Amino acid sequence: MEKIVYKALKADLHIHSIYSKYKDDLGIVGNCSEDDLSILVNKLNESGVNLAAITDHDYFSYSMYEKFKSFEGTGSLIKVLPGIEFSVGIKNDENAPKCIHIIAIFDDADSIKLKRIETDILKLNNDMIDYYNEGNLYYTEEKFISILNRIGLNVILIAHQKGSVNSSTVQDNDLNSLGVNTFNEYLASEVFDALEFKSMKNGLFNNLFAIERNKNYEIVRFITGSDCHTWSVYPKHDLLSEDNKYKHTFLKCLPTFRGVCMAITDYSRISLSSSLFSTDERKLKLIDLDINGNNYNIPLSNGINAIIGDNSIGKSLLLHKITNYEYLDDDNIKKGYEQYLKDKNIKINNSISPSMIYKFDGQGNIRKRFETNNETDNQVFLQEKFPIEPSKDEYLRIINEQFNNLYSCLENKFQYDNEYKKLITLLMINDSIKRKNISVNKLSFNRKKYDGFVRIDTYLNKIINSIDDPNVQVNNGLMSDDVTKINEFKNFLLNIKKKYNQLSKEEKKIYNVKTGLNSGIDDFSTEMKNYKDALENAKDLFESNCDEVADTISKLLIYKSNIKSFEFNITSDINVDVSELRYGEYNFVRRFKNVKTINNEYLDSILRRAFVSRFKLDSTSITEKELLDAIKNDNKIPDLKPLEILKSKINNVISDDFSVESHILKADQEVYSTLSNGMNSTIYFDIISNDNQSNGIYFIDQPEDDVSQTSIKTNLINDFKKMSLRRQIILITHNPQFVVNLDVDNVICLSKDNYGEIVINSGALEFQDDNTSILNIVAENLDGGIESIKKRWKRYGKNIEFNKRR
Amino acid sequence: MEKILNLIKEDEKYKILIDNDSIEIVDLKIDSQMVFDKIYSLLPIDDNYIKITLKTSLTNKEDKIIFDQISSMFKKIDCAINKQIKVSKE
């Protein structure tokens, strides 16, 4: 047999055989005789059942049990236990006896006592069960206790509670048919080791009930039982049953009565799933060591391994050595350990790397830590426990999409405004001016006439100049009459010249006037020509302006059609994720600073915070200037357009809203700063026991040193149980609570034999063989061990013998 | 749909009559913002086509010149609008 539990046992402790015929219809159990056992065993193997018991009504057939037991080891079936389903009249709330069915599973260690049940205790009377109860078909409570005492075997009692405990319809023979008060009394007093249900649904309700009504819900344990009466249809009740949803219970125990007893009496060992431990690969499978040449392969459980033993025997050394002294700073201690190993001729052959380790809390470390209570240390510890930040990408995408719609809307409006301004006043031309245009011809001028007068003047001047002074010619004999005549002729010529000079001047004057006029006409013509060009230009300008206006109007049509009254349009609320990691009663929360729900109201609130108070955005009428005035006047960047300033402003608001805040809540109250300033070991264990973020093995050396006895009972036991579902734990302890109440999966005891040599025993609490009983070892080696085990082992008739050594 | 606009002259001032409204032309100046506003009010909501036609009963040669210019302007606008309607509809 294995020393520790590697695999959960699939159990069914409630199966009937033909010997239930004294109570039930023979028709449904008729084919369940000893000769038919192979049918049952095949069915059990098909279902993968490892542990089973035939529990007939108020009757026990040893031969049936013996034959059934002979199938152990065939297929999945490992263990068969003896059992009876008793009918017991228990007084209800009205003090009237009510028949309840109680499954009793007996210790199989004493076959003589088992045989006596059939021959001496539950004898048939005229082939009928004798209840000694005035014709009632059940035992009285007193008779039932007397029967158990007479049987004299350790027994596990499982009360019938097939129906949902809070159902309005109470089923016959269920424990809750006794009434609420009696039911609760029985739960609280733990008379029964467990309650049995059948359907998953009822199991769920039963567990919920247990949690709601009994804060200390570990006192209530529910298991399933098939109650099969017809083996051929196992796990159904009988041929007429329709329920196909039966789920077996898995028990974390060795396949022994003691193992089953310990499993049934500890809620953490019972499950509807076969999974016992975390799937984290970071586990140490064994400790391989040699002592004086003897090799010990100590198997380690994937759950909780408790190392116990005398002081200074080497327990802490063992932890430090297998972790390569990675967590030991004191070289002197290390040297001392190595010397001890040498002296005792101990070789530890395997070790693990830090990457396999979640945490190593050496002896006294926790006390030391909380004595100083350094705020920075606390913060580092706490910060490691926060969940990863919630992702904001998708939320920002949604929000930005909405705001981009707003920006497009505003941009369109501003583009519209700008285009609209381009619509100029068009100036038409009155083209009639052109048609009334005066065309002026230049004056002609006859120059020939003027030139003739100029030539006559030249001719006359030539003649006049050629006439010498006649008075000079007197000396040459010219006569005075002739002198006179010549002078008269000259004067005549001068007069002619004068006449033509006058004519020439007149012509010249006409020329000058005409030239002036023509010059004016030229100027006029030039003016007229320019005037005509301006008209053409104006005409062209009008045409091109018309083109531009048409083009602008074309754009405006689009902008105008897109101008609309903007509203955010998120159709349903989007709840924003909060990252939470719960460590017991501490909730580590990472959430966004100022946003819980994304909806239109939230988006409006972003806008409100970007704008001055009381500003109401109307996207159909707002201008860029109005927008600029409306944006809150802090850090406006002058060179940016108003819309860009708004975008920047809104992005800042969103960014601030989505900044991540860290909180630690206890009962919805913020305790982050309180914890940073003052942690204690209870909080520490609360938090790390619930840490499912980091994998690896947890090593702790004497956790009891740092916590009060009360706190161990009320907090730490549960903390370590929870932690063991997530990781392998290897702890050293001297406190029996950390072994028995914690219900560790493996006890490793280092002790010295009579010769002072170190010996190592290990195994599950229930493990016992010819040489070793782990419970005995715990009792012997831990102060208060016996008391703890007795408290744990307190059921009806459960006895354990201790050989306390000291 | 087709919208007929009318160019008239009152007190020596030109006016374009649009349904129950009008655009006044002062000193041969025509306000294109006003034109856009009026035209936009004429646009069909569902129809994907509009024809804007300017008519007049004025026969004077001078009036004709004015009419021609305004008519030309509306033709350009009409063309741009319908092109845009077509584009936006597609």
Side-chain angles (χ1 to χ4, degrees):
Chain A
M1 186 172 61
E2 301 283 3
K3 285 183 164 186
I4 56 173
V5 179
Y6 291 102
K7 174 178 171 295
L9 297 181
K10 197 173 192 180
D12 186 355
L13 301 176
H14 190 176
I15 302 168
H16 290 267
S17 79
I18 195 167
Y19 295 106
S20 286
K21 65 186 176 184
Y22 307 113
K23 190 103 178 175
D24 286 327
D25 180 3
L26 180 63
I28 61 169
V29 293
N31 292 323
C32 300
S33 68
E34 287 160 36
D35 293 340
D36 302 315
L37 266 170
S38 60
I39 296 171
L40 174 63
V41 171
N42 285 340
K43 285 287 184 183
L44 292 172
N45 285 333
E46 276 174 24
S47 298
V49 173
N50 310 117
L51 179 69
I54 288 177
T55 51
D56 285 313
H57 289 293
D58 307 311
Y59 189 78
F60 180 73
S61 162
Y62 185 80
S63 61
M64 174 65 84
Y65 160 70
E66 194 175 38
K67 185 158 186 191
F68 188 23
K69 194 169 174 60
S70 71
F71 285 96
E72 283 180 353
T74 60
S76 63
L77 187 65
I78 300 169
K79 183 71 181 173
V80 169
L81 288 170
I84 298 168
E85 181 173 12
F86 283 101
S87 308
V88 185
I90 294 178
K91 287 178 183 137
N92 66 8
D93 283 356
E94 278 81 39
N95 209 29
K98 176 100 183 154
C99 180
I100 300 299
H101 285 177
I102 300 166
I103 307 284
I105 303 294
F106 294 103
D107 193 341
D108 59 342
D110 191 336
S111 55
I112 295 169
K113 284 184 179 177
L114 284 173
K115 280 178 190 166
R116 282 184 53 230
I117 297 174
E118 187 180 8
T119 55
D120 298 348
I121 302 170
L122 297 178
K123 289 186 292 186
L124 293 172
N125 185 1
N126 293 327
D127 211 26
M128 295 280 284
I129 294 168
D130 191 349
Y131 290 100
Y132 314 100
N133 192 12
E134 300 168 353
N136 289 317
L137 298 178
Y138 53 79
Y139 300 108
T140 63
E141 285 180 65
E142 295 74 17
K143 184 67 183 170
F144 171 59
I145 292 168
S146 145
I147 289 169
L148 292 180
N149 282 335
R150 285 185 66 200
I151 291 171
L153 290 167
N154 284 335
V155 64
I156 298 164
L157 295 181
I158 302 163
H160 196 277
Q161 182 53 54
K162 298 232 179 245
S164 161
V165 288
N166 50 0
S167 163
S168 55
T169 337
V170 175
Q171 291 191 24
D172 281 347
N173 310 126
D174 271 8
L175 187 64
N176 71 334
S177 67
L178 298 175
V180 174
N181 292 336
T182 311
F183 177 74
N184 283 335
E185 275 173 26
Y186 273 97
L187 287 190
S189 62
E190 294 190 83
V191 168
F192 302 108
D193 298 304
L195 274 66
E196 182 197 66
F197 65 93
K198 185 162 187 181
S199 89
M200 275 296 291
K201 197 172 130 193
N202 289 344
L204 179 68
F205 283 126
N206 289 344
N207 276 314
L208 286 175
F209 170 87
I211 292 166
E212 282 172 13
R213 296 285 182 88
N214 299 277
K215 286 186 179 170
N216 187 16
Y217 64 91
E218 65 208 68
I219 66 168
V220 190
R221 295 162 295 277
F222 292 96
I223 65 164
T224 55
S226 72
D227 198 11
C228 173
H229 282 64
T230 305
W231 293 346
S232 60
V233 293
Y234 181 89
K236 288 183 181 176
H237 183 276
D238 58 69
L239 288 167
L240 299 177
S241 303
E242 291 178 356
D243 184 14
N244 288 318
K245 292 178 182 168
Y246 177 72
K247 291 270 280 185
H248 288 84
T249 292
F250 290 87
L251 300 175
K252 184 169 81 171
C253 62
L254 294 176
T256 62
F257 173 78
R258 183 177 281 193
V260 174
C261 187
M262 297 200 76
I264 292 280
T265 53
D266 188 309
Y267 77 99
S268 67
R269 289 190 182 218
I270 303 169
S271 172
L272 287 172
S273 144
S274 62
S275 140
L276 294 180
F277 307 107
S278 83
T279 52
D280 180 16
E281 292 295 320
R282 276 169 274 198
K283 291 182 180 112
L284 187 62
K285 289 189 168 47
L286 56 87
I287 298 172
D288 178 7
L289 52 78
D290 296 320
I291 302 174
N292 284 329
N294 297 320
N295 182 253
Y296 290 85
N297 264 330
I298 308 165
L300 293 183
S301 165
N302 287 342
I304 306 173
N305 301 273
I307 302 174
I308 63 171
D310 293 339
N311 280 327
S312 305
I313 200 165
K315 301 188 296 298
S316 301
L317 177 158
L318 186 60
L319 291 199
H320 283 298
K321 182 68 180 173
I322 60 174
T323 54
N324 292 314
Y325 299 115
E326 287 283 348
Y327 305 92
L328 182 63
D329 296 330
D330 192 326
D331 280 344
N332 288 332
I333 296 176
K334 184 178 166 185
K335 281 177 191 164
Y337 283 165
E338 285 297 313
Q339 188 60 48
Y340 180 84
L341 291 171
K342 196 175 171 187
D343 293 346
K344 296 288 178 188
N345 194 19
I346 300 171
K347 277 176 68 184
I348 296 173
N349 302 318
N350 63 333
S351 64
I352 49 173
S353 68
S355 65
M356 299 270 287
I357 296 166
Y358 165 65
K359 208 174 264 293
F360 188 112
D361 282 323
Q363 190 179 353
N365 277 9
I366 292 172
R367 185 196 297 139
K368 208 180 301 169
R369 176 192 179 111
F370 296 115
E371 273 169 5
T372 53
N373 232 325
N374 181 293
E375 187 179 342
T376 311
D377 287 348
N378 289 343
Q379 279 190 350
V380 168
F381 170 76
L382 293 170
Q383 275 168 16
E384 286 172 353
K385 304 299 167 212
F386 278 102
I388 56 166
E389 292 185 0
S391 169
K392 57 189 166 191
D393 295 351
E394 179 59 13
Y395 305 130
L396 293 183
R397 188 193 65 74
I398 292 165
I399 292 169
N400 287 332
E401 190 177 277
Q402 292 287 322
F403 275 99
N404 285 339
N405 289 341
L406 170 66
Y407 301 147
S408 299
C409 205
L410 292 174
E411 194 163 20
N412 178 74
K413 172 64 172 62
F414 299 152
Q415 281 175 325
Y416 171 82
D417 290 346
N418 289 332
E419 281 301 316
Y420 192 78
K421 285 176 197 161
K422 291 181 187 171
L423 287 175
I424 52 169
T425 297
L426 298 170
L427 180 61
M428 287 180 280
I429 49 165
N430 187 342
D431 211 18
S432 59
I433 295 169
K434 184 181 175 184
R435 284 180 287 103
K436 291 176 183 173
N437 177 16
I438 301 165
S439 172
V440 182
N441 294 324
K442 272 190 179 178
L443 296 175
S444 61
F445 175 71
N446 188 352
R447 191 171 176 106
K448 202 173 171 182
K449 200 172 178 183
Y450 170 73
D451 290 344
F453 289 145
V454 172
R455 280 194 292 273
I456 287 171
D457 185 59
T458 306
Y459 168 71
L460 290 175
N461 279 337
K462 204 183 277 183
I463 296 171
I464 289 167
N465 290 335
S466 66
I467 298 172
D468 293 333
D469 186 353
N471 293 322
V472 178
Q473 295 300 325
V474 170
N475 297 327
N476 291 324
L478 188 65
M479 291 181 282
S480 60
D481 289 345
D482 291 330
V483 168
T484 303
K485 284 179 183 170
I486 290 169
N487 283 331
E488 285 172 357
F489 177 64
K490 199 174 175 180
N491 286 335
F492 172 73
L493 288 174
L494 288 169
N495 284 333
I496 291 171
K497 178 176 157 64
K498 196 174 177 180
K499 183 178 92 181
Y500 283 101
N501 271 344
Q502 186 62 37
L503 285 170
S504 175
K505 278 179 185 170
E506 282 174 6
E507 280 301 316
K508 178 75 174 176
K509 194 175 176 182
I510 289 167
Y511 170 78
N512 285 341
V513 169
K514 281 192 175 181
T515 304
L517 282 173
N518 279 342
S519 172
I521 287 167
D522 279 346
D523 290 346
F524 177 76
S525 295
T526 304
E527 284 293 316
M528 284 306 295
K529 187 173 181 299
N530 288 342
Y531 179 69
K532 278 198 282 186
D533 287 346
L535 277 173
E536 288 304 316
N537 288 339
K539 194 178 176 187
D540 289 346
L541 183 63
F542 177 78
E543 289 294 321
S544 92
N545 283 345
C546 283
D547 287 339
E548 270 183 37
V549 164
D551 185 48
T552 303
I553 286 176
S554 155
K555 289 178 191 166
L556 283 171
L557 278 178
I558 297 296
Y559 295 139
K560 181 98 174 178
S561 67
N562 287 330
I563 291 175
K564 57 194 169 199
S565 182
F566 178 82
E567 284 182 354
F568 296 113
N569 62 353
I570 290 180
T571 50
S572 56
D573 287 4
I574 299 162
N575 291 324
V576 171
D577 279 346
V578 172
S579 292
E580 292 178 285
L581 269 182
R582 190 169 275 282
Y583 298 87
E585 52 191 354
Y586 297 95
N587 195 15
F588 283 59
V589 178
R590 280 215 156 109
R591 65 186 174 210
F592 301 119
K593 181 180 167 188
N594 198 27
V595 53
K596 290 178 181 166
T597 307
I598 297 172
N599 53 22
N600 297 331
E601 287 75 29
Y602 168 67
L603 300 176
D604 283 334
S605 85
I606 295 175
L607 269 187
R608 278 198 299 278
R609 283 175 283 160
F611 288 131
V612 293
S613 62
R614 288 193 291 279
F615 173 74
K616 181 88 178 89
L617 176 69
D618 180 355
S619 59
T620 64
S621 63
I622 190 165
T623 64
E624 278 192 288
K625 170 77 170 58
E626 286 166 350
L627 180 68
L628 184 65
D629 293 343
I631 297 169
K632 269 187 184 167
N633 190 17
D634 50 350
N635 302 323
K636 278 184 191 172
I637 306 159
D639 292 337
L640 282 182
K641 287 186 165 185
L643 189 54
E644 295 307 314
I645 297 173
L646 179 67
K647 286 179 186 177
S648 165
K649 188 85 190 169
I650 283 173
N651 285 341
N652 288 343
V653 173
I654 294 170
S655 177
D656 186 50
D657 280 1
F658 276 87
S659 58
V660 176
E661 291 184 334
S662 301
H663 302 276
I664 303 175
L665 305 175
K666 182 181 179 186
D668 292 332
Q669 297 296 312
E670 176 66 77
V671 293
Y672 194 1
S673 60
T674 312
L675 292 189
S676 297
N677 293 325
M679 290 262 297
N680 61 42
S681 53
T682 307
I683 297 169
Y684 175 81
F685 285 122
D686 258 0
I687 291 173
I688 65 166
S689 66
N690 288 285
D691 185 353
N692 57 7
Q693 298 303 296
S694 311
N695 293 323
I697 308 163
Y698 181 47
F699 288 89
I700 180 161
D701 193 344
Q702 295 184 211
E704 65 269 23
D705 286 0
D706 308 301
V707 192
S708 70
Q709 281 294 108
T710 314
S711 193
I712 291 172
K713 193 176 173 187
T714 54
N715 296 308
L716 257 64
I717 297 297
N718 277 334
D719 283 344
F720 276 75
K721 278 190 178 182
K722 271 184 269 177
M723 200 192 303
S724 71
L725 299 174
R726 301 191 171 96
R727 67 183 80 255
Q728 186 180 40
I729 300 170
I730 301 175
L731 63 88
I732 293 172
T733 186
H734 292 285
N735 188 316
Q737 287 202 72
F738 272 100
V739 179
V740 182
N741 296 45
L742 183 54
D743 205 13
V744 296
D745 300 292
N746 188 21
V747 178
I748 302 160
C749 180
L750 278 62
S751 56
K752 287 180 182 166
D753 63 14
N754 295 334
Y755 306 100
E757 298 296 334
I758 293 174
V759 289
I760 299 176
N761 287 293
S762 74
L765 276 170
E766 62 264 35
F767 175 73
Q768 57 182 349
D769 60 14
D770 294 341
N771 305 314
T772 314
S773 162
I774 295 296
L775 282 178
N776 235 346
I777 287 171
V778 171
E780 286 175 2
N781 286 277
L782 290 178
D783 286 338
I786 292 179
E787 289 71 22
S788 289
I789 293 168
K790 278 184 174 171
K791 278 182 193 168
R792 178 82 170 73
W793 199 256
K794 65 184 178 181
R795 315 296 165 197
Y796 277 127
K798 295 184 188 77
N799 297 305
I800 185 163
E801 297 298 325
F802 296 114
N803 303 309
K804 192 162 191 296
R805 195 179 59 180
R806 48 187 184 174
Chain B
M1 66 180 287
E2 182 172 18
K3 277 283 170 188
I4 305 293
L5 280 51
N6 263 299
L7 179 71
I8 61 163
K9 203 172 188 181
E10 278 179 5
D11 304 328
E12 292 305 307
K13 282 182 184 170
Y14 292 105
K15 281 185 180 176
I16 301 162
L17 297 182
I18 303 168
D19 292 345
N20 298 320
D21 213 341
S22 68
I23 300 170
E24 194 169 276
I25 299 165
V26 182
D27 295 337
L28 297 176
K29 290 173 187 165
I30 184 160
D31 182 348
S32 64
Q33 289 183 347
M34 192 182 285
V35 171
F36 169 72
D37 291 340
K38 304 292 181 195
I39 292 295
Y40 190 80
S41 69
L42 298 179
L43 286 182
I45 294 169
D46 299 321
D47 204 343
N48 59 1
Y49 172 77
I50 183 172
K51 182 165 175 59
I52 298 162
T53 307
L54 183 70
K55 291 191 173 176
T56 187
S57 55
L58 299 175
T59 51
N60 183 305
K61 203 171 184 182
E62 188 179 321
D63 299 334
K64 180 73 169 57
I65 292 165
I66 298 299
F67 173 81
D68 285 345
Q69 291 175 78
I70 298 173
S71 180
S72 162
M73 178 190 78
F74 278 118
K75 276 178 189 162
K76 288 172 192 281
I77 291 171
D78 180 76
C79 179
I81 289 172
N82 286 309
K83 191 175 166 191
Q84 194 59 273
I85 288 174
K86 194 178 168 195
V87 169
S88 60
K89 290 282 177 184
E90 282 173 356

